[in-house]
Amino acid sequence: MHAAATLARDDAPAAARRARILLVEDSARLAASIRDYLKQQGYEVLIEGDGRAAASRFERHEPDLVVLDLMLPGKDGLTICRELRSRNDVPILILTARGDAVDQVLGLGLGADDYVVKPVEPRVLLARIEALLRRARAAAPHPGERKLVVGRLAIDRARRAAAIDSRALDLTTGDFDILWLLASQSGRVVTRDDILRVVRGIDYDGLDRSIDARICRLRRKLAEAGGAESMIKTVRLRGYLFVSEG
């Protein structure tokens, strides 16, 4: 079922207007409930219920964040996530079925920044949205931010870019934040708590496996750029360790 709340385009800078959220959800009842709650919190919300139309709505309205259901008519959420991430670093929050770890891992592997489990708890959704938007704002380049070189890896924090021997890594916002954290602490163990606070603004509860999925993806990207997956080592029961050479 298609439900849409079309709002007039606001060309003011993001900092001078309400954050705009594109909610891609085919359940009209759930979408309306989420929209109403988020509007009460000061957000501008657009609803799209057809997976085939999600990309065009995104291009037309340029939202600050996308909340994306995975089970959609026309085109599934994982495909939409992959397509959006291939050309934009907008924060993407996916909605998954309770306990469906496969969808969570797949979504994060395709570039989603976080997930919320259905049935949606409004306060949890709001907290995750606010954490992602804070991170996105903090990711904006600031003059004077330093560069980091660890072995063959060079990271430019102002440009949000990283390369191995001048070969660029294809990183999402979350990938970059984790890589910067690990590389800046090269030779020291970084705990899952540390990483989770950076990417989601919450503490590790001992059960969340999203960090493992993110690390797996980051290792693969390091290898694709000419590095080695072993540049990020797992330290059992403690966390992860970045080393300059694999």
Side-chain angles (χ1 to χ4, degrees):
M1 182 179 295
H2 178 83
T6 305
L7 303 178
R9 176 58 196 267
D10 179 1
D11 291 324
R17 60 168 171 80
R18 295 181 297 167
R20 176 178 297 147
I21 297 172
L22 175 60
L23 171 59
V24 187
E25 168 60 63
D26 66 321
S27 168
R29 182 176 181 179
L30 176 59
S33 175
I34 292 174
R35 178 197 60 203
D36 292 346
Y37 179 77
L38 292 178
K39 287 180 71 174
Q40 290 175 4
Q41 308 305 315
Y43 291 96
E44 178 182 350
V45 182
L46 303 101
I47 298 174
E48 180 54 60
D50 187 345
R52 290 166 296 191
S56 62
R57 289 292 295 279
F58 177 86
E59 295 296 336
R60 188 158 68 249
H61 296 287
E62 299 182 355
D64 301 295
L65 181 141
V66 176
V67 177
L68 178 64
D69 188 23
L70 296 185
M71 300 297 291
L72 294 164
K75 183 182 291 186
D76 67 89
L78 290 175
T79 299
I80 296 169
C81 180
R82 182 175 62 247
E83 292 175 352
L84 291 179
R85 184 55 73 225
S86 69
R87 57 180 183 268
N88 199 287
D89 62 357
V90 65
I92 300 175
L93 176 66
I94 58 175
L95 303 179
T96 73
R98 180 175 296 280
D100 196 341
V102 173
D103 279 349
Q104 295 164 9
V105 171
L106 283 174
L108 293 170
L110 291 173
D113 296 280
D114 203 354
Y115 64 88
V116 169
V117 174
K118 291 183 176 181
V120 176
E121 167 56 48
R123 289 173 298 178
V124 172
L125 178 63
L126 177 64
R128 297 288 174 80
I129 286 172
E130 291 180 340
L132 289 177
L133 289 173
R134 281 196 304 270
R135 194 178 79 195
R137 287 191 289 268
H142 297 286
E145 286 190 320
R146 59 198 178 95
K147 298 180 180 180
L148 180 66
V149 177
V150 184
R152 296 185 296 130
L153 174 68
I155 309 178
D156 187 330
R157 195 173 190 183
R159 293 178 52 242
R160 306 287 294 178
I164 294 178
D165 293 335
S166 300
R167 185 173 177 180
L169 278 76
D170 180 17
L171 301 174
T172 66
T173 299
D175 292 338
F176 182 89
D177 289 339
I178 294 174
L179 181 59
W180 177 270
L181 175 63
L182 291 172
S184 65
Q185 300 294 319
S186 180
R188 304 176 187 172
V189 175
V190 177
T191 68
R192 285 183 172 84
D193 240 349
D194 295 332
I195 297 173
L196 203 54
R197 277 195 292 268
V198 165
V199 299
R200 292 172 67 181
I202 60 176
D203 291 333
Y204 180 61
D205 61 5
L207 300 174
D208 193 314
R209 310 314 300 173
S210 65
I211 295 302
D212 298 326
R214 291 173 184 274
I215 292 294
C216 181
R217 182 176 67 198
L218 188 53
R219 283 171 169 157
R220 184 176 68 249
K221 290 184 176 184
L222 286 167
E224 290 171 351
E229 293 191 4
S230 58
M231 293 172 76
I232 301 177
K233 298 185 180 296
T234 300
V235 181
R236 185 174 172 79
L237 302 179
R238 295 183 61 194
Y240 297 98
L241 175 72
F242 188 88
V243 294
S244 60
E245 298 296 333

